[in-house]
Amino acid sequence: MAARPDVSLDEDKHSGSREKGLNRVLQILEFLHTTQRAIGVGDLARGVNAPRSTTYTLVRSLVDAGLLEMAGDGNRVYFGKKLYLYGMDYVRGNDLLRRGRQEVDHLSRETGETSELCMLQSGRYTIVHSSPGTRPFRISSATGLQIPLPWTASGRLLLAGFDKAAIEDMVSEDDLVLPDGRRLRLDDFIADIAVAKSAGYCITSGLVDAYTKCLAAPVFSAPGRVEATMCLVVPIDTSTEKTDDLIALLRERAARLSIVA
């Protein structure tokens, strides 16, 4: 009787190849998200440390699928409309995000201040929705922006349910260096997290820039589990009295948004 060929090695090889290809696709999408602009395929290949030929093949497949589009002169690539439509499907299907967007927009109109809904994504503070205030001086805030956790009031709340070891693993040395070159101590940051958890809100001043302070309140998805934060970004010279009023309003709206307050 003829021996039955062993196909397990071929199956493993194909499975590994598919997994490697999928990882390359994810790297491409993450790199484009990080750079926030259209980029040449050669630069993209260098950015994800992949062979140029492999990158060209994957980009062409993603363009054909509508997930990426060639931009401008046809030599650069960026996200396609289909990803935008997928994102809108996510918004419609995620109750917290859908209601959170509405709350943020309403809070911004009511206070005149820049308002944000923020979540933890890939170990970074991420603005998932932002609504600008009505001040002539606009505070920079953009949906999709990712910032190191120690730079933000929200970061001190989003990590409130993590133990010290998990926080140490998540925060790099570079994350502790502020834009102006000052370096935060990790132990101080961890202590800030405990204070914010106990207080039920957090205020930081002059961390991202010298002109603003951030007010944040937690949104809970379960007892003790912070799923998101609602934030207001205000001028650093906002009075203590007004800051207290804004914190009270922010906590009220965050509690209303929480599944479990």
Side-chain angles (χ1 to χ4, degrees):
M1 177 181 291
R4 181 183 177 186
D6 186 353
V7 298
S8 61
L9 292 178
D10 286 340
E11 289 175 348
D12 287 345
K13 182 178 179 180
H14 290 314
S15 177
S17 179
R18 287 194 298 270
E19 182 177 353
K20 186 175 181 179
L22 177 58
N23 288 337
R24 291 293 193 198
V25 168
L26 295 176
Q27 289 171 353
I28 288 171
L29 297 178
E30 184 64 25
F31 187 79
L32 289 173
H33 174 64
T34 301
T35 56
Q36 295 282 297
R37 59 182 175 85
I39 190 169
V41 178
D43 291 333
L44 179 60
R46 286 189 290 272
V48 299
N49 194 28
R52 183 185 292 256
S53 59
T54 300
T55 304
Y56 269 104
T57 299
L58 290 174
V59 165
R60 176 48 56 191
S61 295
L62 293 171
V63 168
D64 290 344
L67 300 177
L68 297 181
E69 293 180 1
M70 301 307 295
D73 55 11
N75 295 320
R76 294 172 297 128
V77 66
Y78 201 52
F79 293 124
K81 288 185 286 294
K82 188 171 285 188
L83 282 178
Y84 171 77
L85 296 175
Y86 288 163
M88 294 305 297
D89 290 338
Y90 176 73
V91 171
R92 284 189 289 269
N94 187 298
D95 181 66
L96 173 59
L97 185 53
R98 179 177 52 80
R99 292 188 299 116
R101 285 160 56 96
Q102 295 171 352
E103 289 285 358
V104 163
D105 291 343
H106 181 72
L107 185 63
S108 181
R109 290 193 298 269
E110 184 176 355
T111 63
E113 307 291 356
T114 296
S115 179
E116 300 170 350
L117 180 71
C118 304
M119 293 181 175
L120 190 64
Q121 172 65 31
S122 300
R124 286 287 189 271
Y125 154 95
T126 303
I127 301 173
V128 296
H129 185 63
S130 175
S131 182
T134 57
R135 295 177 177 276
F137 170 68
R138 290 298 181 90
I139 293 171
S140 178
S141 175
T143 299
L145 185 66
Q146 292 187 308
I147 300 174
L149 290 160
W151 298 10
T152 68
S154 288
R156 289 156 172 78
L157 292 168
L158 290 168
L159 295 181
F162 291 76
D163 61 28
K164 182 177 180 180
I167 296 170
E168 290 174 342
D169 287 341
M170 196 173 298
V171 177
S172 71
E173 286 298 318
D174 288 342
D175 292 340
L176 295 168
V177 180
L178 298 174
D180 63 3
R182 286 179 294 159
R183 177 178 289 274
L184 302 175
R185 295 180 64 250
L186 180 59
D187 286 346
D188 291 341
F189 176 57
I190 292 174
D192 287 347
I193 292 171
V195 171
K197 180 179 180 180
S198 177
Y201 67 91
C202 187
I203 303 173
T204 56
S205 297
L207 294 186
V208 174
D209 59 54
Y211 313 106
T212 61
K213 60 182 175 182
C214 184
L215 324 178
V219 176
F220 295 95
S221 61
R225 179 179 175 182
V226 179
E227 186 71 19
T229 60
M230 286 189 69
C231 316
L232 287 170
V233 185
V234 303
I236 200 166
D237 60 357
T238 301
S239 70
T240 300
E241 181 179 4
K242 183 173 182 181
T243 298
D244 289 344
D245 290 342
L246 290 174
I247 281 290
L249 180 62
L250 197 57
R251 296 184 72 184
E252 175 194 324
R253 299 303 164 79
R256 188 163 70 185
L257 187 57
S258 295
I259 296 174
V260 178

